């Protein structure tokens, strides 16, 4: 359905832009992944951009949901700040981290008008310039022929445009398309592979969505294209007949980027990068969020720049997203610890066949079956991983998006996948991820686990050798037979099923409902456990969070030994899991 044109940039335009950009990146994701050759040919630029934008869009939707019960609407400042923050905390990979800084740069200008109801074309021009400049500043060693060049060209084109937001956005889009087509001539790795820059291609899609948000008119699709002829053409088979570098072949112009052709249906496969094979490169990608002050981050930049390459540090106001390629992943994390508090740490080994080694990536045989589970803390993530599951870490207040779950299913690389959301609030997100994975040919069974302790019970009876249906039935039965509870602290006064609680009260929730309100963690946990065991049980699982009293597990174990002689107890350390204590009885 066509979008309603909007002359000004208001909160609804931000929301519309995020939705359109997410759909555009979804359509182009596989194609962009396929042309990803720089800085590492790991084939994930499209996926990383999609996941970053999905996090931004989710944050904007949360702002609108907060206004749903009243007549007021969020201001543009509310929406753009949410968009930038969502992208920052959800940024993935080199490309996603730069996109997050582009959005943050725009937000710094667009939110400067405070509670203004709408923003005009002049502010949008300034926002695009700030975005390009701040992204370039965030990269330790900017390289031309990348998304940075495309962003700068978009800002340059916007500065020459006069008119409303739609006019400015279209000028930026056209400038970005022209710059994208020129990237192979700026970067040797792209020219050798015969492709345009993958990150720049993603930015063109995002800017195209911005045009559509303002004008209501979709822009032409710009599929990734080779800068030379298709592989099966005569000149490609015989490079000296023309079409090769010696023949003076040029990168296609903007009109070539949108013209339909047989290669538009199938993304090109980039060639290997000789320089990478000759010179090698870091083996790990390290990404983490960091709470630190500006001075500490300046020192961190210097430290990480000496450790590796592809360093990008984005953010501000005490919260940063750090991305770097290194050989010593531990040293990169330790540098973050020295600077402040790193969390949501992701370490990826590029492995055999990336651009650093220059070898071809060997086809990996799919496993027959895998389990993908969402877990609330590092301790449980380790437990699930040791049990053979692919764990998706969910921080308190930061639930994973569907794209993150789909990526985990892909990472599991199995023909059959059992998906454990371990949270009632993630039911629809997990269902959407399962549908996407099924569309990609993976057989997925979603078991609606509502707590990590139910997931532990399901994982305990998982047997990959069984038939898939039988395994799913057994895991579902084990999860369903496990009652679950959690002990947490109330953040504010509220009505509950157990009465009124005040901020600071200890709450005991059984099967999702508040059952106990008390002043003490240990006493409340004991009351919850007693109520659960009144209905019987053979095994108690306790998952203790970092902020729980050190003695609570020992106390509850003693309570079980003394009062419930036929019941066993197992204790796990959950780390920063949100709840002080998770309890399972089966």
């Amino acid at each position: 359905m066509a979008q309603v044109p909007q002359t000004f940039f208001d909160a609804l335009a931000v929301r519309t832009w995020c939705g359109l950009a997410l759909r555009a990146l979804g359509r182009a994701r596989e194609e962009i992944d396929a042309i990803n050759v720089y800085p590492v040919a790991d084939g994930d630029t499209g996926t990383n951009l999609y996941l970053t934008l999905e996090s931004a869009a989710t944050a904007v939707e949360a702002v609108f949901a907060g206004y749903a019960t009243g007549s007021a609407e969020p201001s543009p400042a509310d929406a753009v700040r949410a968009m930038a923050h969502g992208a920052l905390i959800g940024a993935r990979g080199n490309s996603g981290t730069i996109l997050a800084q582009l959005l943050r740069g725009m937000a710094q200008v667009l939110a400067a008008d405070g509670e203004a109801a709408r923003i005009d074309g002049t502010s949008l021009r300034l926002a695009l310039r700030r975005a390009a400049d701040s992204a370039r500043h965030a990269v330790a060693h900017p390289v031309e022929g990348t998304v940075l060049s495309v962003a700068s060209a978009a800002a340059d084109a916007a500065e020459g445009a006069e008119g409303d937001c739609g006019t400015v956005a279209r000028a930026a889009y056209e400038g970005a398309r022209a710059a994208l087509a020129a990237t192979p001539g700026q970067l040797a790795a792209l020219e050798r592979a015969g492709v345009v820059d993958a990150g720049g291609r993603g930015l063109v899609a995002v800017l195209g969505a911005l045009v559509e948000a303002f004008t209501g008119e979709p822009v032409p699709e710009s599929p990734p294209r080779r800068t030379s002829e298709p592989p099966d053409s005569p000149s490609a088979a015989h490079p000296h007949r023309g079409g090769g570098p010696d023949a003076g072949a040029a990168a296609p112009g903007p009109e070539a980027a949108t013209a339909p052709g047989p290669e538009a249906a199938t993304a090109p496969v980039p060639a290997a990068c000789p320089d990478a094979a000759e010179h090698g490169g870091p083996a790990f990608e390290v990404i983490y969020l960091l709470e630190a002050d500006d001075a500490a981050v300046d020192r961190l930049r210097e430290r990480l720049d000496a450790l590796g390459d592809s360093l990008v540090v984005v953010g501000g106001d005490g919260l940063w997203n750090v991305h770097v390629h290194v050989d010593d992943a531990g040293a990169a994390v330790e540098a973050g610890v020295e600077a402040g508090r790193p969390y949501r740490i992701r370490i990826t080994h590029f492995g055999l066949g990336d651009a650093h080694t220059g070898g071809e990536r060997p086809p990996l045989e799919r496993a027959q079956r895998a389990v993908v589970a969402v877990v609330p803390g590092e301790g449980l993530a380790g437990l699930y991983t040791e049990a053979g599951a692919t764990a998706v870490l969910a921080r308190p207040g930061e639930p994973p998006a569907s794209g993150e779950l789909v990526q985990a299913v892909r990472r599991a690389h199995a023909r059959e996948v059992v998906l454990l959301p371990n949270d009632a609030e993630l039911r629809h997100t997990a269902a959407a991820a399962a549908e996407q994975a099924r569309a990609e040919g993976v057989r997925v069974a979603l078991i609606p686990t509502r707590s990590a302790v139910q997931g532990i019970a399901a994982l305990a009876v998982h047997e990959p050798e069984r038939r898939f249906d039988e395994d799913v039935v057994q895991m579902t039965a084990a999860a369903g037979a496990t009652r679950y509870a959690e002990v947490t602290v109330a953040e504010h006064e509220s009505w509950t099923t157990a009465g009124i609680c005040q901020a600071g009260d200890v709450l005991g929730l059984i099967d999702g409902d508040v059952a106990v309100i008390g002043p003490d963690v240990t006493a409340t946990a004991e009351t919850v456990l007693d109520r659960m065991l009144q209905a019987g049980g053979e095994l108690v699982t306790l998952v203790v969070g970092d902020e729980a009293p050190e003695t609570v597990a020992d106390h509850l174990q003693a309570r079980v030994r003394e009062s419930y002689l036929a019941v066993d107890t197992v204790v796990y350390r959950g780390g920063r899991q949100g709840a002080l204590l998770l309890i399972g009885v089966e």
Side-chain angles (χ1 to χ4, degrees), residues 76-90:
D78 292 331
V80 295
R81 287 193 192 106
M83 174 185 68
H85 180 73
L88 177 66
I89 65 174

Side-chain angles (χ1 to χ4, degrees), residues 7-9 110 113 118-125 163-165:
T7 304
F8 292 92
F9 209 155
L110 298 178
D113 292 334
R118 55 190 190 177
I119 297 165
D120 61 14
T122 300
S123 294
L124 181 57
R125 285 198 299 272
D164 59 17
C165 286

Side-chain angles (χ1 to χ4, degrees), residues 4 27 31 46 60 69 79 92 104 227 237 269 279 371 437 466 501 575:
V4 177
R27 291 191 299 269
E31 296 174 349
V60 173
T69 57
R92 296 302 188 91
R104 176 178 171 80
T227 58
V269 179
H279 301 299
V371 176
R466 272 196 299 236
C501 71

Side-chain angles (χ1 to χ4, degrees), residues 5-315:
Q6 294 188 226
T7 304
F8 292 92
F9 209 155
D10 58 9
L12 181 59
V14 177
R15 185 188 201 182
T16 303
W17 178 29
C18 286
L20 291 171
L22 190 62
R23 287 195 284 276
L25 288 174
R27 291 191 299 269
R29 179 186 61 78
E30 291 184 0
E31 296 174 349
I32 296 174
D33 281 347
I35 63 169
N36 173 200
V37 300
Y38 185 86
V40 178
D42 48 356
D44 63 358
T45 291
T47 298
N48 287 336
L49 289 170
Y50 180 88
L51 291 174
T52 302
L53 209 290
E54 184 180 44
S55 182
T58 299
V60 173
E61 288 301 319
V63 168
F64 273 85
Y67 282 83
T69 57
S71 57
E73 293 185 353
S75 68
D78 292 331
V80 295
R81 287 193 192 106
M83 174 185 68
H85 180 73
L88 177 66
I89 65 174
R92 296 302 188 91
N94 189 69
S95 55
T97 307
I98 293 174
L99 176 61
Q101 188 67 4
L102 288 167
L103 296 180
R104 176 178 171 80
M106 291 188 69
Q108 287 174 327
V109 173
L110 298 178
D113 292 334
E115 300 306 310
R118 55 190 190 177
I119 297 165
D120 61 14
T122 300
S123 294
L124 181 57
R125 285 198 299 272
L126 295 173
L128 290 166
R129 171 52 60 196
R130 174 70 68 86
D133 292 347
S134 62
R136 188 171 288 270
H137 177 73
V139 177
H141 301 285
V143 175
E144 298 306 324
T146 65
V147 64
L148 299 177
S149 302
V150 176
S152 293
D156 292 343
E159 286 178 343
E162 295 293 337
D164 59 17
C165 286
T167 301
V168 173
R170 188 174 292 281
Y173 169 71
E174 295 296 345
R177 289 178 67 226
L180 176 66
T183 55
Q186 297 173 289
L187 195 57
L190 302 179
E191 186 174 31
R192 282 191 297 269
V195 296
V196 296
D197 179 66
R201 167 65 178 92
L203 179 58
V204 168
V206 171
L207 290 174
L210 184 62
V211 175
E212 185 176 355
F214 287 127
T215 66
E217 301 173 0
V219 299
E221 291 288 340
S222 298
R225 301 287 298 273
R226 281 186 174 275
T227 58
S228 55
E229 296 181 67
D232 55 355
S233 69
S235 59
H238 303 280
H240 297 296
R241 291 189 185 176
D246 294 336
E255 57 279 332
T258 57
E263 63 270 42
T266 303
V269 179
C273 176
D275 280 355
E278 295 169 7
H279 301 299
F284 297 96
E285 178 184 61
V286 178
I287 306 175
Y288 49 80
L289 291 179
L290 177 71
E291 294 177 357
D293 59 36
D294 291 2
V297 170
D298 288 340
R299 293 190 296 271
L300 176 66
R301 289 180 196 270
E302 295 181 5
R303 175 85 180 275
L304 293 178
D305 194 26
L307 287 175
D309 60 29
S310 297
L311 173 61
V312 185
V313 181
V314 304

